[in-house]
Amino acid sequence: MKRLLLIASLVFATTLSLHAQKFALVDMDYIFKNIPAYERANEQLNQISKKWQAEVEAIQIEAQTLYKNYQNEVVFLSQEQKKAKQEAIVAKEKEAADLKKKYFGPEGELFKKRTALMTPIQEEVYNAVKDIADLRGYQLILDRASDTGIIFGSPKVDISNEVLSKLGYSN
């Protein structure tokens, strides 16, 4: 009997504490799309990425051309010439791979540029969300744009426009 009362009171206390928690939703995609600096940074990153991709592709095309030329001439080449051409092809392919890694690798130039451009904006948004959470007493704020587990979220608990207003952007 004591056990049953203890379990019942624990369930009751847990239920009360769950109802007392406040939560909200934000749509980070919506917020970032309404921040001009974020859109400009994205466009700048896209332009840089396209430029660097073109550089890598140009070197890859050079390597392919060297290989095609080698295939066409292979029957006429001496062993030393074959070896020299093969080494040139391998060197050109390595150059393309190294450049690709330099620009697009996990710690490449694009990653560094993205971090430099996006981090200040993301921190500003995070701080605005945190300030609103502290002001309103929210214990949990979920991003409805990135969480596929949210099936429905009432517009009453979506604070995205409030975050934009706090950042000084009209919605």
Side-chain angles (χ1 to χ4, degrees), residues 127-151:
N127 288 333
V129 170
K130 186 178 178 310
D131 289 347
I132 292 169
D134 291 343
L135 180 69
R136 296 261 186 104
Y138 294 125
Q139 285 82 29
L140 178 68
I141 297 182
L142 300 170
D143 180 9
R144 74 175 348 155
S146 66
D147 188 2
T148 57
I150 298 174
I151 296 170

Side-chain angles (χ1 to χ4, degrees), residues 103-123:
Y103 288 150
F104 302 108
E107 294 184 21
E109 296 298 318
L110 188 63
F111 175 79
K112 291 175 187 173
K113 190 76 168 168
R114 178 175 280 116
T115 301
L117 291 173
M118 299 298 194
T119 300
I121 299 167
Q122 290 168 338
E123 285 179 357

Side-chain angles (χ1 to χ4, degrees), residues 3 34 37 90 99 166 170:
R3 240 185 189 182
N34 283 284
V90 169
L99 191 60
K166 181 149 184 73
S170 62

Side-chain angles (χ1 to χ4, degrees), residues 53-130:
Q53 186 62 37
E55 284 180 41
V56 170
E57 287 174 0
I59 295 172
Q60 288 173 334
I61 289 170
E62 286 179 37
Q64 290 172 353
T65 303
L66 286 173
Y67 181 70
K68 285 178 186 175
N69 291 342
Y70 170 76
Q71 284 181 323
N72 292 335
E73 301 169 350
V74 72
V75 293
F76 306 111
L77 299 174
S78 68
Q79 283 302 104
E80 300 86 40
Q81 290 173 323
K82 285 180 187 179
K83 186 176 179 184
K85 295 234 181 217
Q86 289 170 352
E87 288 174 356
I89 293 167
V90 169
K92 193 56 80 173
E93 288 172 345
K94 184 178 179 338
E95 181 184 349
D98 289 346
L99 191 60
K100 187 174 184 177
K101 182 179 176 184
K102 174 186 172 194
Y103 288 150
F104 302 108
E107 294 184 21
E109 296 298 318
L110 188 63
F111 175 79
K112 291 175 187 173
K113 190 76 168 168
R114 178 175 280 116
T115 301
L117 291 173
M118 299 298 194
T119 300
I121 299 167
Q122 290 168 338
E123 285 179 357
E124 184 180 13
V125 170
Y126 170 79
N127 288 333
V129 170
K130 186 178 178 310

